């Protein structure tokens, strides 16, 4: 006897429970916005880590970064650390920038970097420029 089984990798069954066929969109999570990373980067700082530092600080907001810093982690590289503000935000020509410091704990050791994080007020684009070792 031969039994046929339906195989489907991507199927969806929709059953309205209340008679309505439309539902409101629900946000269940968010993806950090892309960050423009200016190169060159310090030798021991990966592009991916610099982008993650910028994303974490950007999500907190340039005006809202706590003095004691924000923890960040890069699931891709396994690196982690803390990003802290070093200055107050300064607005100039539709951009707001602030100096930051980040610790990076990676397979290569523990490093500290200085940099500048900016946000373009017109587009919302975040940019980070690592200025080298902070220590």
């Amino acid at each position: 006897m031969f039994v046929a089984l339906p195989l489907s990798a991507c199927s969806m069954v929709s059953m309205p429970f209340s008679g309505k066929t439309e539902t409101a969109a629900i946000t269940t999570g968010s993806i950090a916005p892309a960050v423009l990373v200016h190169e060159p980067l310090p030798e021991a700082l990966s592009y991916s880590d610099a982008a993650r530092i910028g994303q974490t600080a950007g999500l907190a907001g340039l005006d809202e970064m706590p003095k004691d810093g924000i923890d960040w982690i890069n699931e891709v590289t396994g690196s982690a650390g803390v990003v802290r503000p070093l200055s107050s935000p300064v607005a100039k020509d539709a951009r707001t920038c602030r100096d930051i410091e980040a610790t990076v704990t990676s397979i290569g050791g523990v490093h500290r970097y200085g940099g500048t994080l900016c946000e373009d007020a017109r587009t919302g684009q975040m940019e980070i420029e690592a200025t080298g070792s902070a220590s």
Side-chain angles (χ1 to χ4, degrees):
M1 174 163 51
F2 181 81
V3 177
L5 296 174
L7 301 175
S8 66
C10 296
S11 65
M12 182 176 159
V13 176
S14 176
M15 297 176 60
F17 292 106
S18 65
K20 295 183 180 179
T21 57
E22 294 183 26
T23 58
I26 300 172
T27 302
T28 58
S30 62
I31 297 173
V35 173
L36 176 62
V37 177
H38 292 276
E39 296 188 78
L41 294 172
E43 187 176 317
L45 181 62
S46 75
Y47 184 94
S48 179
D49 287 346
R52 194 64 175 140
I53 291 165
Q55 288 172 336
T56 301
L59 285 174
L62 286 177
D63 295 330
E64 303 297 324
M65 286 179 66
K67 280 188 162 190
D68 57 345
I70 304 165
D71 293 334
W72 67 272
I73 187 167
N74 185 344
E75 295 84 4
V76 174
T77 63
S79 299
V82 177
V83 58
R84 293 177 186 85
L86 291 178
S87 67
S88 297
V90 176
K92 182 179 178 185
D93 299 330
R95 286 175 31 129
T96 301
C97 298
R98 108 180 287 170
D99 292 331
I100 60 169
E101 157 184 270
T103 57
V104 178
T105 303
S106 68
I107 196 163
V110 179
H111 302 279
R112 284 184 27 198
Y113 299 98
T116 303
L117 183 68
C118 297
E119 180 177 18
D120 186 313
R122 296 170 295 199
T123 64
Q125 174 71 56
M126 296 297 293
E127 299 179 26
I128 188 168
E129 181 175 356
T131 56
S133 178
S135 60

